[in-house]
Amino acid sequence: MKVQVRNVEDVAIIDCSGDVDLYSSPRLREALLGQIRGGAKSVLVNMGEVGYIDSSGIATLVEGLQLSRTTKTRFGLYSLRSNARSVLELARLHKVFNLFETEQEALEKIGSVQPFGGL
Amino acid sequence: MRIDLTSEPRLLQILRGVVRCRALEAGVPEPEAERLALAVSEAAANVIRHTYGGREDARLALEIRTFPDRLEFVLEDWGPKVCLDQIRHRPLDDVRPGGLGTYFMNCFMDDCSYDPDFAEGNRLRMIKYRQREVAH
């Protein structure tokens, strides 16, 4: 799995690719929690190249979500493939996360200057 | 077929590949093969995390058996006996990290049970029945 962070204006985007499992999820966790703790106003995870995610990967995303609520950081996921989406749906988490189809949509909604909680 | 491996998390990807490949060879449709791979991987991850406490030098073995009506995945470890009372997934409306691995296993397999006669450790037998052709 590869994890890379880039910034689009004041939004931190975490590009994630490969399998997110017990072995690799600590790398995603480090990047995700690092961005939120580091004061990013908005954090997006690009899931477009994630072909597999297991319960430890889901746990990492939930941890990020919980921390983002504490720090009032806007947080969302986009470009989920069918496998990842179906796992989130099975865990009934698809309505808990802010999910977007594309990066553009995610940036428009998450990156817009609206009060936290508007999503 | 049977594969033996050490309890290194990086090997889970290989384990999934074997399950996926064997399921496809047995005629399982690709989406279901993916789900079976996830279920077996979750079971192995549970062994690595909970039974072996993160140790990477312990042993795991997976045997895959195919039958006309079902596929069986038998996962063995040589750790302390699992306490069945403690194997419970979290309520889905209690959103917090963790507690979903067993849930996914039970969603994607038709039966998961431990062999009480396996004295050396734990033997988890997971069964997926093949979907019957609908007669027209």
Side-chain angles (χ1 to χ4, degrees), chain B residues 69-94:
Chain B
D69 66 331
R70 68 190 188 278
L71 274 73
E72 289 188 7
F73 304 90
V74 180
L75 185 69
E76 293 177 349
D77 68 66
W78 286 265
K81 279 284 182 194
V82 166
C83 181
L84 295 178
D85 292 342
Q86 292 177 353
I87 304 176
R88 195 173 297 123
H89 69 79
R90 67 163 168 77
L92 294 182
D93 53 3
D94 177 15

Side-chain angles (χ1 to χ4, degrees), chain A residues 19-23 51-56 58-60 62-63 65-66 69 83 87 90-93 96, chain B residues 9-10 12-13 16 20 34 37-38 41-42 45 48-49 90 92-93 95-98 100-101 103-104 107-108:
Chain A
D19 288 9
V20 184
D21 63 5
L22 181 66
Y23 175 62
Y52 173 90
I53 186 164
D54 73 357
S55 62
S56 63
I58 300 286
T60 297
V62 170
E63 200 177 352
L65 176 72
Q66 291 183 329
R69 286 175 173 169
N83 281 1
V87 168
L90 194 64
R92 295 189 206 156
L93 290 168
V96 175
Chain B
R10 69 185 177 90
L12 289 173
Q13 191 170 20
R16 289 194 295 275
R20 197 180 292 125
E34 290 294 332
L38 189 144
S41 187
E42 292 285 4
I48 294 170
R49 286 185 63 197
R90 67 163 168 77
L92 294 182
D93 53 3
V95 178
R96 58 183 163 81
L100 289 173
Y103 173 68
F104 291 147
C107 284
F108 296 145

